Amino acid sequence: MLVTTANDLPGLRITRTIGVVRGITVRSRNLVSDAIGGVQSMLGGRVGAYVKLAETARAEAYDHLLEQARAAGADAVIAMRYDANEIMPGITEVLCYGTAVKTEAA
């Protein structure tokens, strides 16, 4: 599955636009990551506990996007983006979305 943030795929021609596909996940912090993150934030610099949490949430949303695109019959996703919102303190929604398309060699 090809995925790009661009609106086209050089060398390929879009033959059919299937439509918007998305992957979503909702993640919460836990006591361990809060404790580690709190210590790391006091020391300054990169807060690895929260970086790992953010990367895990994005990867999960991306995987769900791919599942939805495959189920719709796509072979590529263009204009892929991420969005995140805090639903309540400590609970974040991560959305990955784009346009599912069918392609062929140009």
Side-chain angles (χ1 to χ4, degrees):
M1 174 80 57
L2 295 172
V3 179
T4 183
T5 58
N7 293 325
D8 59 1
L9 294 159
L12 296 174
R13 185 169 69 83
I14 295 171
T15 59
R16 188 170 126 231
T17 299
I18 296 170
V20 175
V21 289
R22 67 186 181 283
I24 188 170
T25 190
V26 177
R27 305 287 294 192
S28 66
R29 298 186 315 241
N30 63 46
L31 291 174
V32 174
S33 65
D34 275 350
I36 293 170
V39 170
Q40 288 176 334
S41 69
M42 286 187 284
L43 300 173
R46 185 172 191 238
V47 183
Y50 292 135
V51 170
K52 183 176 180 186
L53 180 65
E55 286 293 338
T56 300
R58 283 181 178 234
E60 191 172 298
Y62 182 82
D63 290 344
H64 288 235
L65 168 85
L66 295 180
E67 289 171 16
Q68 193 176 63
R70 283 188 190 102
D75 57 17
V77 176
I78 60 172
M80 190 278 292
R81 304 284 189 270
Y82 286 104
D83 192 14
N85 297 295
E86 189 172 52
I87 294 174
M88 60 185 296
I91 299 179
T92 303
E93 164 205 42
V94 176
L95 173 67
C96 182
Y97 61 96
T99 303
V101 296
K102 288 291 286 181
T103 63
E104 66 181 22

